[in-house]
Amino acid sequence: MMYRATQLTSVRLAKPAGQFLRWSSKSSINLSSSLTSYPTDHTSPNTEPYITPSFVDNQFFKSESKEWFDIHDPATNYVVSKVPQSTPQELEEAIEAAAKAFPIWKEFSVIKRQGIAFKFVQLLRENLDRIASVIVLEQGKTFVDAQGDVTRGLQVAEAAVNITNDLKGETLEVSTDMETKMIREPLGVVASICPFNFPAMVPLWSLPLILVTGNTAVIKPSERVPGAALIIAELIVKAGVPPGVLNIVHGKHDTVNKLIEDPRIKALTFVGGDKAGKYIYEKGTSLGKRVQANLGAKNHLVVLPDAPKQQFINALNGAAFGAAGQRCMAISVLVTVGKTKEWISDIVHDAKLLKTGSGFDKSSDLGPLINPGSLTKAKDIIEDSVKNGAVLALDGRDYKASEERFSKGNFLGPTILTNVKPGQRAYDEEIFAPVLSVVNVDTIDEAIELINANKYGNGVAIFTSSGSSAQYFTKRIDVGQVGVNVPIPVPLPMFSFTGSRGSFLGDLNFYGKSGITFLTKPKTITASWKSSTVDDEILKPSTSMPVQQ
Ligand code: NAD
């Protein structure tokens, strides 16, 4: 079953309220999927690409931009959709809609916002397969992996409904008949800039908490995979969020620069690569905005000789090659300690069994890379590292397409390089592909030293059956998310995503308690309502500093 874009001139999800911007000139447009109609296979080369709408004031519309980017299906490289560079006017309207909606949304009681969040969770669950299918088409990952992408975001939305507990303030009678209470208030408009590799999860890392805390949002999905975010917008409307609270804009640098520079935007959340993240963090903070920025990664898995071997191999291959290595928490470096280097042939044996292919094919274990540039980059790094001493234990470059339509896809099979060392590109760079680099060391201390010298600090794992070795490791390792016999230790959203060092810029991490702190500012209110005569001896004005004893 395939879906087609339907352009309408009159259908609207909700009529913008009187105080919001006028949209009479906008060309309304329907989303190209629905709860019951969504892609289950790749499109053919002559299928007309669907238009990716923009979303402002609860209305989907076709941008008036003259500049449009092609969205390619990474498995075939056929163009499946077109996404605009939002015009300056459209960016202005989106931010203005969010700014105007803020005082209204802020006045919604927390229990009302919680009720909407409950409904949103339910709708997300109902639309899980629909969102996952659009992710497969635009991003390439396998359907089950795309379901996981949505589910990890859904879990953040589920945790957000606990806002009635999480937002409780503090109060104390600080002096007779005088109380101070501290509450946390929303900031205003928050902008989120998202990467290509988790089209649903990353927008949902921020959006549910932005909403329940009383902020409004302008989201810029990755221009390579915007489809999932648009479905999320449709569900937000159905959940009962008023116009202007969520707005979606598109594009590249011009859009990002507007979001950074506009004074109505009070905070920026960013997930993506180092270059964009550093730029956004530095420029955003220099303009007085709060910024949280999750950046690139190089995640190591250390295996000790006492590790449960098959459990380790299964975990390693899943974490290194799942999502074609395009996860910021993918294991990209295996550190074999001592004689575990002899396990490489078993790892290679099992990695060879993984099937690379279409994300719509249930038997595929990994899909293609996002674009031809990523494939070329990975191949260049493999070649360069081999020239500099690395050894190819498994070469995924010899991938053979099972069908003609996949012959132009960006496929790379699982690749394993041994004898890798710092100084080789395979170790020094984030490859973001199904390429596992193996470094051998003699002791756990050498492993710790290697990892702590790496610039990134997103995730790390150790596999061992010794509790004291695990304890020794976890206390000395300088990485934000540590797994013991767990290859991808991303905590569930009752905690926060705690990547650190070169993988994070900012002070407060995404979601969990620090996510709420990031999205709110404290306010103290001190009030005196006399009910006793204890302090009545002070009958004349005092000009000394009040100390309230
Ligand atoms: P990217 O940095 O290319 O793009 C991310 C976003 O920034 C996109 O919306 C893009 O349009 C925008 N952008 C890109 N270049 C820009 C620039 N020069 N100026 C302003 N905006 C710019 O990242 P990507 O390729 O989409 O995603 C992959 C990267 O994201 C990897 O490095 C991966 O490690 C990282 N990532 C990190 C985490 C994490 O939590 N640490 C999670 C997911 C992805």
Side-chain angles (χ1 to χ4, degrees):
M1 188 195 314
M2 288 309 309
Y3 64 76
R4 301 287 321 121
T6 326
Q7 276 191 51
L8 300 175
T9 47
S10 57
V11 174
R12 289 176 185 184
L13 273 167
K15 211 172 166 210
Q19 70 272 34
F20 292 96
L21 298 168
R22 301 259 155 230
W23 294 112
S24 48
S25 63
K26 295 266 180 284
S27 170
S28 292
I29 186 169
N30 270 353
L31 280 192
S32 46
S33 68
S34 71
L35 180 59
T36 51
S37 170
Y38 47 79
T40 52
D41 198 357
H42 305 273
T43 50
S44 58
N46 44 10
T47 310
E48 195 193 325
Y50 54 88
I51 297 293
T52 298
S54 305
F55 179 77
V56 175
D57 262 343
N58 282 4
Q59 187 193 14
F60 292 108
F61 66 93
K62 183 180 175 189
S63 167
E64 278 156 24
S65 182
K66 296 212 172 3
E67 195 183 357
W68 291 78
F69 310 113
D70 289 340
I71 297 173
H72 295 88
D73 174 347
T76 60
N77 271 313
Y78 303 153
V79 178
V80 291
S81 181
K82 292 196 173 276
V83 64
Q85 167 58 56
S86 297
T87 65
Q89 166 78 6
E90 288 162 359
L91 294 174
E92 173 62 30
E93 287 170 348
I95 297 170
E96 184 60 12
K100 282 197 168 154
F102 174 60
I104 298 163
W105 181 237
K106 189 184 163 202
E107 289 302 308
F108 271 53
S109 67
V110 71
I111 201 91
K112 252 191 187 165
R113 295 198 301 257
Q114 184 195 41
I116 290 173
F118 268 117
K119 181 87 179 128
F120 178 54
V121 165
Q122 181 200 342
L123 289 162
L124 266 179
R125 200 178 288 287
E126 284 168 16
N127 284 269
L128 200 144
D129 285 358
R130 171 192 176 196
I131 303 174
S133 75
V134 172
I135 292 175
V136 177
L137 188 69
E138 294 185 358
Q139 202 275 352
K141 62 179 73 175
T142 62
F143 186 69
V144 278
D145 194 33
Q147 286 177 313
D149 184 331
V150 187
T151 303
R152 288 305 292 229
L154 171 66
Q155 288 166 340
V156 180
E158 286 173 335
V161 300
N162 194 42
I163 193 65
T164 43
N165 277 319
D166 292 340
L167 214 53
K168 274 184 191 157
E170 294 171 11
T171 178
L172 182 70
E173 184 169 356
V174 289
S175 182
T176 305
D177 286 338
M178 183 181 284
E179 282 179 357
T180 297
K181 68 173 175 181
M182 191 181 82
I183 57 170
R184 297 200 70 88
E185 293 199 319
L187 306 175
V189 185
V190 180
S192 293
I193 299 156
C194 307
F196 82 84
N197 64 330
F198 282 103
M201 181 186 84
V202 170
L204 290 170
W205 272 4
S206 316
L207 182 63
L209 284 180
I210 290 176
L211 298 183
V212 292
T213 49
N215 293 286
T216 58
V218 178
I219 292 185
K220 191 201 89 64
S222 166
E223 65 279 11
R224 299 188 254 182
V225 295
L230 270 306
I231 301 174
I232 289 168
E234 182 194 289
L235 306 183
I236 282 288
V237 179
K238 287 191 173 146
V241 172
V245 172
L246 168 65
N247 308 278
I248 296 186
V249 294
H250 298 294
K252 298 187 179 176
H253 304 49
D254 290 349
T255 305
V256 172
N257 281 332
K258 173 71 178 167
L259 297 177
I260 301 174
E261 286 163 11
D262 194 290
R264 290 165 292 185
I265 289 177
K266 303 300 177 203
L268 294 155
T269 79
F270 169 85
V271 179
D274 296 353
K275 191 171 163 221
K278 196 162 177 280
Y279 170 72
I280 291 165
Y281 180 80
E282 285 174 358
K283 201 160 174 200
T285 50
S286 77
L287 291 168
K289 294 182 203 290
R290 288 188 184 188
V291 187
Q292 55 181 191
N294 275 9
L295 313 182
K298 199 82 186 169
N299 307 304
H300 300 66
L301 186 153
V302 178
V303 59
L304 301 187
D306 63 3
K309 187 174 165 190
Q310 195 54 45
Q311 184 193 332
F312 146 71
I313 293 175
N314 291 343
L316 171 71
N317 281 333
F321 305 122
Q326 297 176 118
R327 291 182 186 136
C328 62
M329 286 292 281
I331 293 297
S332 49
V333 183
L334 168 66
V335 185
T336 51
V337 178
K339 71 179 178 56
T340 60
K341 66 180 171 206
E342 291 161 19
W343 296 357
I344 299 296
S345 56
D346 296 305
I347 297 167
V348 169
H349 173 271
D350 283 13
K352 272 186 187 162
L353 300 176
L354 296 174
K355 184 177 164 195
T356 307
S358 156
F360 286 118
D361 178 346
K362 284 199 176 77
S363 65
S364 297
D365 296 297
L366 56 145
L369 293 173
I370 187 69
N371 58 21
S374 296
L375 181 61
T376 306
K377 178 184 161 191
K379 286 181 174 174
D380 285 352
I381 292 177
I382 294 167
E383 200 179 312
D384 190 78
S385 301
V386 168
K387 268 190 205 144
N388 286 289
V391 176
L392 263 171
L394 180 62
D395 190 352
R397 293 173 299 175
D398 56 9
Y399 166 82
K400 300 271 177 305
S402 57
E403 294 175 42
E404 171 56 27
R405 60 184 176 153
F406 301 132
S407 60
K408 297 246 165 20
N410 316 313
F411 292 101
L412 178 67
T415 299
I416 299 178
L417 289 166
T418 58
N419 204 30
V420 172
K421 296 188 171 52
Q424 292 168 1
R425 286 184 69 193
Y427 186 80
D428 293 347
E429 293 182 30
E430 184 185 38
I431 312 175
F432 227 52
V435 181
L436 177 68
S437 301
V438 185
V439 182
N440 185 246
V441 297
D442 291 328
T443 64
I444 189 171
D445 286 312
E446 277 179 60
I448 293 168
E449 197 182 328
L450 174 85
I451 297 163
N452 286 351
N454 191 281
K455 70 172 172 171
Y456 292 116
N458 219 30
V460 72
I462 184 165
F463 274 67
T464 175
S465 51
S466 157
S468 54
S469 297
Q471 181 82 338
Y472 184 87
F473 182 81
T474 55
K475 284 197 166 175
R476 287 160 183 79
I477 204 73
D478 188 8
V479 173
Q481 299 173 99
V482 186
V484 176
N485 299 323
V486 174
I488 302 189
V490 178
L492 284 169
M494 55 294 281
F495 295 94
S496 302
F497 188 100
T498 52
S500 66
R501 294 200 283 124
S503 297
F504 179 66
L505 286 171
D507 302 302
L508 293 163
N509 300 97
F510 278 79
Y511 57 81
K513 277 186 194 146
S514 53
I516 290 173
T517 307
F518 176 80
L519 293 165
T520 54
K521 56 188 178 192
K523 180 189 268 182
T524 54
I525 300 153
T526 299
S528 170
W529 293 101
K530 292 281 179 211
S531 72
S532 87
T533 52
V534 172
D535 293 333
D536 275 2
E537 68 276 9
I538 308 166
L539 291 173
K540 57 179 184 136
S542 166
T543 53
S544 61
M545 181 70 183
V547 291
Q548 297 164 355
Q549 283 166 343

